[in-house]
């Protein structure tokens, strides 16, 4: 009690000086760390909470992080006034003042927080560049008795051993790293500090004096003797450990020695300033080694009387506090166990939450409510796995109590899962025992199985065996539900998913682990900064302290959560999957075919087998057929959903890894295929502050609060329980008609057609079942959140497009998902809002191409139908079911009826989100970039009385051509006449701008035609393969006619990507010169000689297309050709692809992907810029890519913002800036150009090359000759750039193919790449090439389907794309037959090495983007 009282006194005394210190530290040159913290704090609520009282005990201080961070003005009234901006307060986008980069971020905090929507000036001549073209594939090391692995795997294994307490093996791993790194390596010192830190934790926790001696010996023998110099962290840890010695001369001598060593290396003050030493420890050190800052009267330390024997401090939050009751969520009847099981899974919604504040505190209610919501969210994230196990156990116990567990014909799935869990847990325990034995083995050579266990063993220890078993079962069953229970799932896919699930749960476990908080509880930031300010004031130690204050605070886990390598995840997943195959059994009851006797067998649920897919033998996991039947009757919709909506505002994004959920590990950026380069650029941009606006935009999207539309939910629940097909809800028992098998005949096509129809019927049935299972998930989540306000944390993909992280229920989902959601915050309609509500209803019904007045009239004309739909949706006339978006239409009907029935409709508080959709947003950007007046009119950039519709225009053009050709007697035209609609062409028109291939367009058209003409016969050779090809060609032709300017821009983008993807960097060329001169490559920094990577082929093309968005976010295209790697698991050998920076780029995907990805980055910029401005003026905002949502009364304001944001973006020369950035980013590169060999310059180049060959100046193979030619051209260019006249003259005399091309400089002589011939809008390939399924370019995503399946960042088995042979910088496409060399293609092209330049930017048309300001149908 006295200690706690004394401690409170110390904190009060410290806080007494807090304000003067902060006033001093507000000067940026004194404390950039403090102001950096303020710059990271973003306004997250309309209410600013009162400061934490300092007189109410430590509980309020402990939970201070649960409160909103106060802004510059701390009064709630000020915050409210700031948020309630009216239409008259709206300030359009301007070129705001942008501080120079040299000015600290903190000095512009006030400006940026209040004008985040201002586009910063971007110097295209100095973009962010990360040069990694010389990166080599990581080398795999193997010691005499060590586990094989590369450096990343060794470091991660070290992390795992330290975190699970295996210090003996951790010591061996650090010693192994010491044999790889040089003594001055920071990575080696970091590993030593990790090891010291883990030992310090053990010393303090267990009072282990032997470990203390071993730690001191480690410092002397392993660090000092080997020539390493410790840093501030090293000495801080040694001092902390030394204080654990019983007080006396020995402890004082040890402390003085380490203080002296730290002082001699000028690290003493930095070591004392790190948040490693606690307040009491600093006080004790100050008594042993008096320092100048102890002479200050302001400083009060609290040394322990007997520090070594002091017990762990009591956690104020552990005190028992009265728990207020939370009302039960009212139950609703529903068929099946789905909702009941989810209620058990989300048990926290019905469990009392304890407030972290004392009862007698005067803390405002709003703050305690927020703290309770934080705890509720934390328990929601922490309890998912636990609740699943409890649910399984409960159902099994209930059956056991009834005595029916063994006599039931079928055991419920949840009880079956508990049986598996009970059987799997001991198997995992046994495996961990084998791991312990393998790690303890001191034999010179371990067996292969023991080596494998040493590799994956540490990663299994993060979780308990019980939790490992539950995660395995949940992950496997989730994959089965997502991919189809009746299909075999590739083993490589499922084990990677299991390994990733264990990784993610391990990260969450580490975040939730508070066991070391008592050990690493250091000084409060206010106390520490005040003491530092005092030292600065006295001009003592200012330089090291300022250096320390500019660095990040050391976290509990210094390295954060580094993702496990693919090999580790595969091995962890394989050992758990194999254990599940052994453990999972079920009883099968059958009759003997002859005797009729009932036979009961226990059979495995999962089978590991093989099947052939695309000509490859692939390992798959299959379900027992009886389990498939069980799942079809009892869907596993109650499985845990890892990322659910949040019941509290998400954490603001502060870095790529920090933000979103409270404890669950999520990333701010979805890195495609685990692309390392994109992550490096994102982290570097974050350090520079360039990601600030992107993070702010994500925070705006995340803080929009939502609730479930109760009216729509009730109707949807009734429709669901009826089992009928209503709106987009598929029937519970679909009536699939299977065709009759044809009789034997001479027509081979008859049976082929029958097999195709059978397959289509099976696919339809499976698709409907999967869709219903997914919708069951959505309904249950909606049921659980029925009385909650919730939020969707967002992140972005590599192009900057924002997505909600919760995958199952969000506003990017299908019509049923959107219909269930509405804003939690309501807003009065007003007269304008009532008008927009009517327009919105017309839009979602499908009447959205008329004028606004006509849409209002449409709504009022159907008012009777609207009332009938709202009051009697399922038993009335069902008018709403005829809508294009039925559930959203029903929501609008209910909202409009409620408004009209209120006393004053204009004062009705509306919660419905009103949508404003762009007109083919990609074409809008292209029209603005190219100044295309004709295209601008087609996509509503030009003002008009009625909205233009590009899809209808294309459909009408095709209809006219079909009518003409049908009249001429063309059979396919006769079949299609009268069957072409807007819907048939929409998908292809929309995705053409995003790079859809001709093959993809045929698929899109075919899907629509099959719905319109399902019974099209094969007679006469006219089938949907023919009709879809015919219509797709017509669509491409129409688009090329309409968008000439956009076509030129798209072609220019493709040509730039073509040159970049065939370029070598100056570093690569210089390295090739060194190799040609016989010089060895320099040893990688910090690696000892002999430990470097294998020889690198520097002639490979490794340059990705990289650009910067107007919001300064760097975008890196992730398309590379990664070689496969075989991983041996205890099930089978699997092939995986782990992308690396050293991989060569995929030229075709880089080229085809750049134009659509660039446009995606622009529409993402437009959305985030609009979001920031809407937030500034107080609007609630949500977005689905190019569909923007707000309250009805705010639609006019939002539309003005959308137009102004688009104008602001395109008022700049975006393409010109991109060209300047490319010129700076790829300066000095050489690229392999193609020249028409039959042109005049082509013939001269071939003649010159032949002359060089005949003279013997290019001996060797073709790749060697090409490399020699590259070096000769590089030499010529260096001579020409020399300041020495003689060298310049020598360069002019040097004849190379490049000099020949320079003498006849004409870009028209350059050959057009095959990939570029179809890159423009409406372009079709000269020859139709059939692409394999795994070669389809994943661009132009329309929905958020990729969030449903967890991203693994890997390609497995038959998805592997064979790495092409790399010959001297020339990528040989295609696969060669085994044992044969690929034949050279006959081509009319020859090559020439040229300096990388880019073609002139296409001339811009006469369209003035400012005219958009008057276009009311831009978004409508």
């Amino acid at each position: 009690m006295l200690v706690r009282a004394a401690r409170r006194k110390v904190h009060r005394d410290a806080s007494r000086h807090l304000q003067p210190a902060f006033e001093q530290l507000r000067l940026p040159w004194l404390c950039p760390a403090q102001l950096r913290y303020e710059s990271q704090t973003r306004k997250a609520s309309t209410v600013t909470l009162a400061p934490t009282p300092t007189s109410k005990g430590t509980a309020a201080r402990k939970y201070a992080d649960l409160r909103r961070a106060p802004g510059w003005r701390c009064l709630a009234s000020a915050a409210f006034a700031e948020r309630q901006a009216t239409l008259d307060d709206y300030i359009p986008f301007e070129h705001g003042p942008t501080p120079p980069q040299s000015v600290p971020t903190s000095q512009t905090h006030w400006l940026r927080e209040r004008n985040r929507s201002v586009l910063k000036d971007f110097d295209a001549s100095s973009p962010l560049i990360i040069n990694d073209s010389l990166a080599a594939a990581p080398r795999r090391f193997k010691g005499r008795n060590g586990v094989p692995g590369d450096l990343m795997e060794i470091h991660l294994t070290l992390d795992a051993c330290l975190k699970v307490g295996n210090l003996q093996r951790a010591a061996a791993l650090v010693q192994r790293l010491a044999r790889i790194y040089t003594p001055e390596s920071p990575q080696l010192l970091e590993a030593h500090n990790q090891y010291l830190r883990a030992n310090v934790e053990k010393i303090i926790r267990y009072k282990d004096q032997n470990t203390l001696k071993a730690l001191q010996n480690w410092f002397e023998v392993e660090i000092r003797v080997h020539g390493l110099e410790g840093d501030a962290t090293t000495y801080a840890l040694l001092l902390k450990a030394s204080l654990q010695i019983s007080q006396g001369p020995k402890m004082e001598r040890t402390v003085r020695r380490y203080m002296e060593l730290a002082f001699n290396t000028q690290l003493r003050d930095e070591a004392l300033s790190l948040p490693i030493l606690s307040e009491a420890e600093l006080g004790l050190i100050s008594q042993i080694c008096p320092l100048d800052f102890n002479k200050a009267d302001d400083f009060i330390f609290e040394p322990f009387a007997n520090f070594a024997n002091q017990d762990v401090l009591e956690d104020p939050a552990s005190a028992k506090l009265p728990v207020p009751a939370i009302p039960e969520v009212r139950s609703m009847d529903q068929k099946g166990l789905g909702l009941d099981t989810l209620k058990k899974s989300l048990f926290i919604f019905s469990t009392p939450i304890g407030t972290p504040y004392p009862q007698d505190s005067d803390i405002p209610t709003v703050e305690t409510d927020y703290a309770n919501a934080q705890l509720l969210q934390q328990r929601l994230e922490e309890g998912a796995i636990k609740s699943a196990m409890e649910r399984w156990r409960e159902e099994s116990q209930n059956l056991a109590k009834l005595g029916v567990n063994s006599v039931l014909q079928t055991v419920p799935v949840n009880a079956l899962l508990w049986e598996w869990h009970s059987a799997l847990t001991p198997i995992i325990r046994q495996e961990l025992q084998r791991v312990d034995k393998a790690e303890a083995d001191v034999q010179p050579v371990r067996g292969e199985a023991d080596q494998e266990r040493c590799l994956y063993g540490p990663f299994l220890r993060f979780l308990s065996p019980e939790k490992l078993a539950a995660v395995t079962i949940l992950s496997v069953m989730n994959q089965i539900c997502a991919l189809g229970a009746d299909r075999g799932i590739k083993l490589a896919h499922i084990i990677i998913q299991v390994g990733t699930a264990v990784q993610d749960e391990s990260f969450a476990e580490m975040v939730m682990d508070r066991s070391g908080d008592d050990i690493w509880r250091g000084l409060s930031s206010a106390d520490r900064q005040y003491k530092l300010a005092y030292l600065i004031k006295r001009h003592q130690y200012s330089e090291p302290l300022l250096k320390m204050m500019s660095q990040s605070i050391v976290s509990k886990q210094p390295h954060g959560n580094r993702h496990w390598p693919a090999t580790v995840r595969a091995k962890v997943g394989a050992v758990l999957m194999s254990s599940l195959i052994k453990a999972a059994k079920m009883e099968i009851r059958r009759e003997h075919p002859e005797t009729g006797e009932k036979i009961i067998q226990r059979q495995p649920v999962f089978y590991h087998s093989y099947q052939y897919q695309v000509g490859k033998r692939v390992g798959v996991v299959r379900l027992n057929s009886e389990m498939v039947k069980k799942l079809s009757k009892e869907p596993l919709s109650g499985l845990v959903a890892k990322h659910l909506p949040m019941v509290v505002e998400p954490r603001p994004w502060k870095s790529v890894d920090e933000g979103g959920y409270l404890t669950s590990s999520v990333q701010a950026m979805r890195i495609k295929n685990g692309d390392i380069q994109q992550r490096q650029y994102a982290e570097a941009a974050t350090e520079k502050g360039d990601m600030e606006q992107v993070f702010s935009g994500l925070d705006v999207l995340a803080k929009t609060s939502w609730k479930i539309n109760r009216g729509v939910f009730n109707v949807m629940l009734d429709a669901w329980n009826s089992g009928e097909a209503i709106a987009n809800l598929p029937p519970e028992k679909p009536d699939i008609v299977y065709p009759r098998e044809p009789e034997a005949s001479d027509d081979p096509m008859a049976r082929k057609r029958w097999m195709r129809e059978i397959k289509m019927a099976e696919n339809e049935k499976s698709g409907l079942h999967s869709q219903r299972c997914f919708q069951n998930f959505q309904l249950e989540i909606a049921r659980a959140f029925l009385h909650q306000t919730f939020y969707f944390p967002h992140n972005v993909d590599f192009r900057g497009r924002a997505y909600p992280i919760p995958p199952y229920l969000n506003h990017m989902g299908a019509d049923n998902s959107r219909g269930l959601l509405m804003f939690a915050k309501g807003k009065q309609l007003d007269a304008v809002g009532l008008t927009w509500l009517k327009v919105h209803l017309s839009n979602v019904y499908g009447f959205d191409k008329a004028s606004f007045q006509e849409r209002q009239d449409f709504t009022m004309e159907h008012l009777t139908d609207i009332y009938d739909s709202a009051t009697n949706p399922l038993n009335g006339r069902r008018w709403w079911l005829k809508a294009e978006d039925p559930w959203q239409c029903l929501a609008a009907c209910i909202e409009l009826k409620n408004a009209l029935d209120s006393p004053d409709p204009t004062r009705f508080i509306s919660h419905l989100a009103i949508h404003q959709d762009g007109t083919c947003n990609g074409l809008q950007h292209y029209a603005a970039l190219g100044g295309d007046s004709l295209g601008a009119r087609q996509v509503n950039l030009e003002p008009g009385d009625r909205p233009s519709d590009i899809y209808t225009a294309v459909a009408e053009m095709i209809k006219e051509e079909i009518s003409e050709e049908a009249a001429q007697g063309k059979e396919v035209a006769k079949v299609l006449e009268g069957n072409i609609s807007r819907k048939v062409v929409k998908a292809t028109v929309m995705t053409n701008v995003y790079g859809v291939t001709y093959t993809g367009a045929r698929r899109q058209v075919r899907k629509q035609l099959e719905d319109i003409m399902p019974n099209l016969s094969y007679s006469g050779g006219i089938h949907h393969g023919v009709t879809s090809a015919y219509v797709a060609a017509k669509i491409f032709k129409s688009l090329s006619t309409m968008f000439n300017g956009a076509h030129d821009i798209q072609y220019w983008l493709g040509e730039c990507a073509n040159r970049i993807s065939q370029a070598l960097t100056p570093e690569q060329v210089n390295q090739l010169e060194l190799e040609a001169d016989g010089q060895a490559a320099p040893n990688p920094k910090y690696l000892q000689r002999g430990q470097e990577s294998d020889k690198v082929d520097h002639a490979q093309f490794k340059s990705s297309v990289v650009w910067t968005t107007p919001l300064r976010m760097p975008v890196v295209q992730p398309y590379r050709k990664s070689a496969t790697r075989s991983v041996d698991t205890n099930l089978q050998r699997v092939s995986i692809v782990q992308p690396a920076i050293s991989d060569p780029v995929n030229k075709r995907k880089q080229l085809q992907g750049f134009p659509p990805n660039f446009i995606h980055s622009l529409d993402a910029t437009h959305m985030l810029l609009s979001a920031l401005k809407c937030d500034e003026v107080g609007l609630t905002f949500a977005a689905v890519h190019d569909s923007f949502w707000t309250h009805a009364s705010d639609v006019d304001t939002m539309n003005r913002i959308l137009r102004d944001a688009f104008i602001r973006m395109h008022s700049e020369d975006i393409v010109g800036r991109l060209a300047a950035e490319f010129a700076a980013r790829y300066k000095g590169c050489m690229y392999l150009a193609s020249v028409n060999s039959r042109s005049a310059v082509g013939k001269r180049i071939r003649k010159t090359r032949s002359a060089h060959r005949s003279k013997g100046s290019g001996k060797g193979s073709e790749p060697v000759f090409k490399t020699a030619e590259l070096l000769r051209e590089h030499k010529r260019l260096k001579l020409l750039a020399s300041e020495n006249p003689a060298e310049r003259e020598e360069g002019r005399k040097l004849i190379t193919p490049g000099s020949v091309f320079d003498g006849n400089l004409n870009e028209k002589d350059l050959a057009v790449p095959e990939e570029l011939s179809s890159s423009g809008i409406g372009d079709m390939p000269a020859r139709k090439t059939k692409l394999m399924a795994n070669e389809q370019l994943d661009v132009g995503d329309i929905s958020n389907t990729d969030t449903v399946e967890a991203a693994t960042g890997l390609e497995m088995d038959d998805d592997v794309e064979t790495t092409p042979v790399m010959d001297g910088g020339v990528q040989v496409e295609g696969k060669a037959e085994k044992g044969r060399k690929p034949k050279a293609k006959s081509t009319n092209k020859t090559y020439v090495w040229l300096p990388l330049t880019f073609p002139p930017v296409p001339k811009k048309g006469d369209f003035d983007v400012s005219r958009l300001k008057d276009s009311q149908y831009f978004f409508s």
Side-chain angles (χ1 to χ4, degrees), residues 18 55 57 133 202 247 290 626 661 672 737 746 756 893 895 953 996 1037 1158 1206 1220 1334 1399:
L18 185 61
S55 59
S133 60
K202 183 178 179 182
Q247 284 195 8
E626 293 297 319
Y661 288 96
K672 183 178 177 63
V737 179
D746 295 334
R756 183 184 292 111
C893 290
E895 191 82 351
V996 68
K1037 178 182 176 183
F1158 180 70
F1206 194 91
N1334 62 337

Side-chain angles (χ1 to χ4, degrees), residues 131 133-134 1063-1073 1098 1103 1224-1230 1271 1274 1396:
N131 192 344
S133 60
L134 299 183
L1064 297 178
T1065 65
E1067 292 77 17
Q1068 287 179 282
V1069 177
N1070 291 335
Q1071 195 61 44
L1072 288 172
E1073 284 186 329
H1098 295 293
S1103 299
R1225 185 177 299 281
Y1226 301 103
K1227 183 178 180 180
C1229 291
M1230 299 289 293
L1271 299 180
H1274 186 244
L1396 180 54

Side-chain angles (χ1 to χ4, degrees), residues 401-615:
K401 289 178 183 178
L402 296 173
V404 297
N405 216 355
S406 59
V407 299
L408 283 180
Q409 181 72 20
T410 58
V411 178
V413 172
N414 280 340
L416 198 57
L417 295 182
W418 177 247
E419 288 183 18
W420 302 352
H421 183 270
S422 301
L424 180 58
T425 301
I427 294 177
I428 294 176
R429 283 201 181 97
Q430 293 171 7
E431 178 62 27
L432 288 173
Q433 291 172 2
R434 287 190 284 268
V435 169
D436 293 337
K437 184 178 178 181
E439 290 183 332
D441 188 3
V442 294
Q443 296 297 323
V445 179
R446 291 192 182 99
E448 186 177 342
D450 285 345
Q451 279 200 351
E452 290 292 299
R453 291 189 176 99
C454 289
L455 184 103
Y456 63 71
F459 299 90
L460 288 177
R461 291 198 183 95
F462 282 106
L463 305 176
S464 65
E466 292 80 7
K467 184 165 279 191
L468 277 173
V471 170
T472 302
I473 294 171
L474 288 168
S475 177
V476 171
M477 298 308 290
N478 265 319
Q479 289 302 306
I480 288 172
C481 289
L483 302 178
D486 55 340
R487 303 176 183 176
I489 302 175
K490 285 187 287 187
L491 177 69
H493 175 82
I494 204 164
I495 64 175
I496 285 291
Q497 291 296 326
V498 172
T500 303
V502 174
Q503 168 196 263
D504 293 344
E505 191 63 29
S506 300
F507 289 169
E509 193 96 341
M510 285 186 282
V511 172
M512 294 183 286
D513 181 18
R514 301 290 184 263
S515 59
D517 286 356
D518 54 335
I519 296 175
W520 304 109
R521 187 183 292 122
L523 288 172
S524 69
S525 59
D527 291 340
R528 186 176 297 276
Q529 288 179 0
Y530 176 58
K531 292 178 173 117
L532 297 180
Y534 178 83
L535 295 178
I536 294 173
K537 184 177 180 181
R538 295 187 54 176
H539 304 288
Q540 295 175 358
Y541 326 120
S542 57
E543 186 173 344
L545 285 175
L546 281 174
K547 177 184 176 183
M548 183 277 299
M549 294 167 70
S550 67
Q551 296 173 346
S552 302
I553 298 297
V554 178
S555 62
K556 180 182 171 186
Q557 275 96 23
H559 308 284
N561 295 328
R562 295 189 284 196
H563 287 275
W564 299 353
T567 51
V568 171
R569 282 181 284 157
K571 291 179 183 293
V572 168
V575 72
L576 292 173
M577 187 68 224
S578 64
S579 300
L580 180 61
I581 291 174
K582 296 175 186 176
K585 300 286 195 299
M586 66 183 299
E587 289 188 353
I588 308 298
R589 298 170 183 263
R590 289 181 178 151
E591 287 187 2
H592 193 281
E594 297 178 0
T595 64
E597 179 186 358
K598 299 289 185 181
I599 301 176
I600 300 177
Q601 291 181 325
R602 286 189 64 80
Q603 295 183 0
V605 176
F606 303 98
Y607 294 95
H608 172 221
S609 61
Y610 295 88
Q611 63 181 215
Y612 283 89
Q613 297 181 3
V614 198

Side-chain angles (χ1 to χ4, degrees), residues 99 108 134 205 275 336 341 343 452 567 718 760 1005 1072 1106 1157:
T108 60
L134 299 183
R205 192 173 304 284
T341 54
K343 182 178 178 181
E452 290 292 299
T567 51
D718 291 340
M760 291 173 59
V1005 173
L1072 288 172
V1106 183
N1157 286 335

Side-chain angles (χ1 to χ4, degrees), residues 1028-1060:
S1028 60
Y1030 176 81
V1031 175
K1034 295 291 184 185
I1035 296 174
F1036 276 66
K1037 178 182 176 183
S1038 300
L1039 287 173
S1040 63
T1041 303
M1042 290 183 180
F1043 291 92
N1044 288 325
H1047 173 277
D1048 294 341
I1049 293 290
Q1050 198 172 32
Y1051 188 90
W1052 181 85
L1053 294 172
E1055 174 59 24
C1056 290
N1058 171 61
R1059 298 187 182 189
I1060 293 169

Side-chain angles (χ1 to χ4, degrees), residues 487 738-739 752-766:
R487 303 176 183 176
Y738 287 86
K752 187 175 181 180
R753 288 194 296 269
W754 171 77
M755 292 177 65
R756 183 184 292 111
E757 291 170 359
I758 287 289
K759 185 177 180 180
M760 291 173 59
E762 288 290 344
N763 288 341
E764 181 183 1
K765 181 180 178 180
S766 177

Side-chain angles (χ1 to χ4, degrees), residues 178 242 300 326 440 504 583 701 790 793 842 866 893 981 1138 1237 1285 1335:
S242 301
I300 300 176
I326 294 178
D504 293 344
L701 298 174
F790 51 90
S842 175
I866 291 169
C893 290
S981 65
Q1138 179 96 39
S1237 58
E1335 293 181 326

Side-chain angles (χ1 to χ4, degrees), residues 232 235 260-271 543-544:
Y235 290 110
E260 181 180 357
L261 288 174
F263 179 81
N264 292 337
T265 54
Q266 298 182 347
L267 294 170
R268 182 188 66 180
D269 308 308
E270 188 175 348
E543 186 173 344

